[in-house]
Amino acid sequence: MDGDSERREIKRGRRRVRLLLVGTVLTFALASVLVGLMANGAFPSSWLERGDPPDWVEVTGLVLVVLGLGLEIVALVRMVRSGSHRADRESRLWAVSFRRRRELVRAVRRGVVDSPDDLPWLRTTAEQLIRQRRFVPLFGGLVTMNLGQLLLSLAPIWFVLFGVTGVMFALACGQILRDPPRAEAFLREHPGDPAVSVPTGSR
């Protein structure tokens, strides 16, 4: 694949993912509206009632909301300044299918190289797995904001939402933190030419 055609494939791949994300968000929004319209009386009204948190709990909740928002902003600024966002945006992996990307990720995790022709793709995949560490502060900021909102209202429904999102983020962060050491080990085992390697954005 020459440079021009690869750039076209990268743009096409980014466009596909953007459409998928927009479609997912719209689907969840529509589903939420429908559930809200159909769920009248499905939950006890007490689940939605705001509690009466003490002043110190409200202050703590407000501090956590502000802290979580600050973490989000700092994480986004670091992501841009480190170059990791640009590196991911221009990654060659956009030019391959989701199935191929999953195969490359599994190969990096196992440290397996099936063909020498796969090495450039595997190195690129390993570098992207290393850059995934940047999502941990983002998730941490979201969980912190969610906890702050819980303390501000103390409505039972917020306890449920915090429990669900907390478990989801914990599982996601666990996977994210497991992959970078494997990716770093893969790059040590299969070093590439530093002159052409893609920056990891991990500084």
Side-chain angles (χ1 to χ4, degrees):
M1 184 183 296
D2 59 48
D4 290 338
S5 60
E6 183 174 72
R7 280 192 291 272
R8 285 195 297 271
E9 288 299 322
I10 289 173
K11 290 180 180 179
R12 189 174 294 116
R14 287 203 304 262
R15 195 179 302 118
R16 283 197 302 267
V17 172
R18 280 198 296 266
L19 290 173
L20 178 62
L21 290 175
V22 170
T24 301
V25 170
L26 291 177
T27 300
F28 274 103
L30 179 60
S32 298
V33 171
L34 292 175
V35 170
L37 293 174
M38 298 170 58
N40 289 331
F43 298 102
S45 59
S46 58
W47 280 39
L48 306 176
E49 290 179 359
R50 187 180 185 277
D52 186 20
D55 291 342
W56 69 269
V57 173
E58 287 193 10
V59 171
T60 302
L62 182 60
V63 169
L64 289 176
V65 169
V66 174
L67 178 61
L69 180 60
L71 285 173
E72 292 288 294
I73 294 172
V74 170
L76 289 172
V77 170
R78 288 190 62 187
M79 184 188 304
V80 174
R81 294 190 62 184
S82 68
S84 63
H85 174 71
R86 181 176 180 180
D88 279 348
R89 178 178 173 81
E90 298 175 355
S91 173
R92 300 175 64 207
L93 293 176
W94 291 108
V96 301
S97 65
F98 288 113
R99 179 180 178 182
R100 175 61 171 157
R101 265 182 265 180
R102 286 195 298 269
E103 292 173 352
L104 292 169
V105 169
R106 285 196 294 266
V108 170
R109 288 171 177 166
R110 297 195 310 268
V112 173
V113 180
D114 293 327
S115 168
D117 294 337
D118 288 341
L119 265 177
W121 293 99
L122 293 170
R123 292 190 189 107
T124 300
T125 302
E127 289 162 352
Q128 184 160 327
L129 289 175
I130 293 171
R131 290 193 296 270
Q132 285 184 351
R133 285 192 178 112
R134 72 188 189 278
F135 290 116
V136 174
L138 287 173
F139 290 161
L142 289 172
V143 172
T144 303
M145 290 176 63
N146 204 341
L147 178 58
Q149 292 168 324
L150 164 63
L151 295 179
L152 282 172
S153 68
L154 289 185
I157 192 66
W158 272 107
F159 284 92
V160 176
L161 293 175
F162 178 74
V164 172
T165 56
V167 170
M168 290 174 58
F169 287 148
L171 293 174
C173 288
Q175 184 61 60
I176 287 172
L177 293 175
R178 279 197 300 269
D179 283 339
R182 302 173 186 170
E184 289 167 345
F186 182 90
L187 291 177
R188 286 194 300 268
E189 185 71 22
H190 306 282
D193 182 358
V196 297
S197 90
V198 179
T200 62
S202 57
R203 61 186 173 92

